[in-house]
Amino acid sequence: MNNCYYGTYRYFPGTTFQLLRVEVTARQKEGIMAAIDYFRKNKERYSYNLMGLLGVVAGRELGSDEARFCSQFVAEVMSKGGVGLWNDRPAALVTPQHFREHVKLETVYEGRLFDYSELDAFKLHQAQTQLRRTRTRLALRL
C-alpha cells in the first residue's frame, strides 16, 4: 500500500479499488513472497505488458517473457507460490474480472482508495502536501 502515498495513485485521489482475500498456508505465503521478491530484485529486467492486454482481447498470450500487466503478475506469483487459482488459464489471460468472480476470493473492501481505513492518515496527508508543493513549484516555473 506504500505506492498509494508516493506512487501513481497519489495523483488520482478518486481511484476506486477492490481488496480481495484468499486463504493460503504458511508455505504458500512464503512461495508468493519469494516470487514477489524475485521480481523486486530483478525489476530492471521487467516492464509493463501492454502487448499482453491486446492478447487478452484476442484470447492469445502476447508480449515478452520480461513483461507483465497487473492481473497477470498477481496470477503468476500466486501460481508460483502454489495457489493456482486458474489451472486452466495462463496468467497472461487472467483479468481483474477473473479475480472478482473467483469463488475462493472474498471481498474485504470496495470503494475509494483514500477512504480505506487501513491507510495511514498521516502518511496520506504528507504525500498530498508534498504533491501540492511540487505542483506549486512547477506552476511557478512556467
Side-chain angles (χ1 to χ4, degrees):
M1 289 299 244
N2 205 25
N3 279 345
C4 67
Y5 301 116
Y6 300 103
T8 303
Y9 293 110
R10 72 180 174 151
Y11 297 105
F12 304 99
T15 297
T16 60
F17 82 112
Q18 183 176 10
L19 179 62
L20 303 169
R21 171 176 37 210
V22 64
E23 267 191 53
V24 297
T25 65
R27 185 178 212 173
Q28 289 170 325
K29 182 178 178 182
E30 287 174 18
I32 291 168
M33 297 308 291
I36 292 170
D37 194 45
Y38 171 82
F39 280 105
R40 186 179 291 129
K41 287 178 180 174
N42 295 284
K43 64 184 174 186
E44 66 283 341
R45 288 183 48 204
Y46 293 95
S47 61
Y48 189 80
N49 189 6
L50 189 56
M51 195 66 146
L53 294 177
L54 297 174
V56 170
V57 173
R60 295 181 31 216
E61 293 183 68
L62 295 177
S64 80
D65 288 339
E66 284 80 33
R68 307 286 185 285
F69 52 86
C70 301
S71 55
Q72 176 184 13
F73 172 79
V74 175
E76 185 174 326
V77 298
M78 290 184 75
S79 179
K80 287 180 186 251
V83 184
L85 297 173
W86 296 279
N87 296 324
D88 61 334
R89 177 184 308 276
L93 296 179
V94 174
T95 68
Q97 192 62 30
H98 290 114
F99 283 93
R100 285 186 204 101
E101 294 173 350
H102 202 288
V103 296
K104 289 186 178 178
L105 297 170
E106 171 192 356
T107 299
V108 174
Y109 174 83
E110 189 169 4
R112 283 178 18 106
L113 175 63
F114 287 175
D115 290 341
Y116 182 53
S117 63
E118 295 297 315
L119 289 180
D120 184 318
F122 180 70
K123 276 187 181 178
L124 187 57
H125 175 73
Q126 283 182 314
Q128 289 173 333
T129 300
Q130 180 184 5
L131 179 60
R132 281 192 292 276
R133 286 181 185 149
T134 301
R135 286 181 177 164
T136 301
R137 282 193 298 265
L138 289 174
L140 292 175
R141 288 182 194 167
L142 297 176

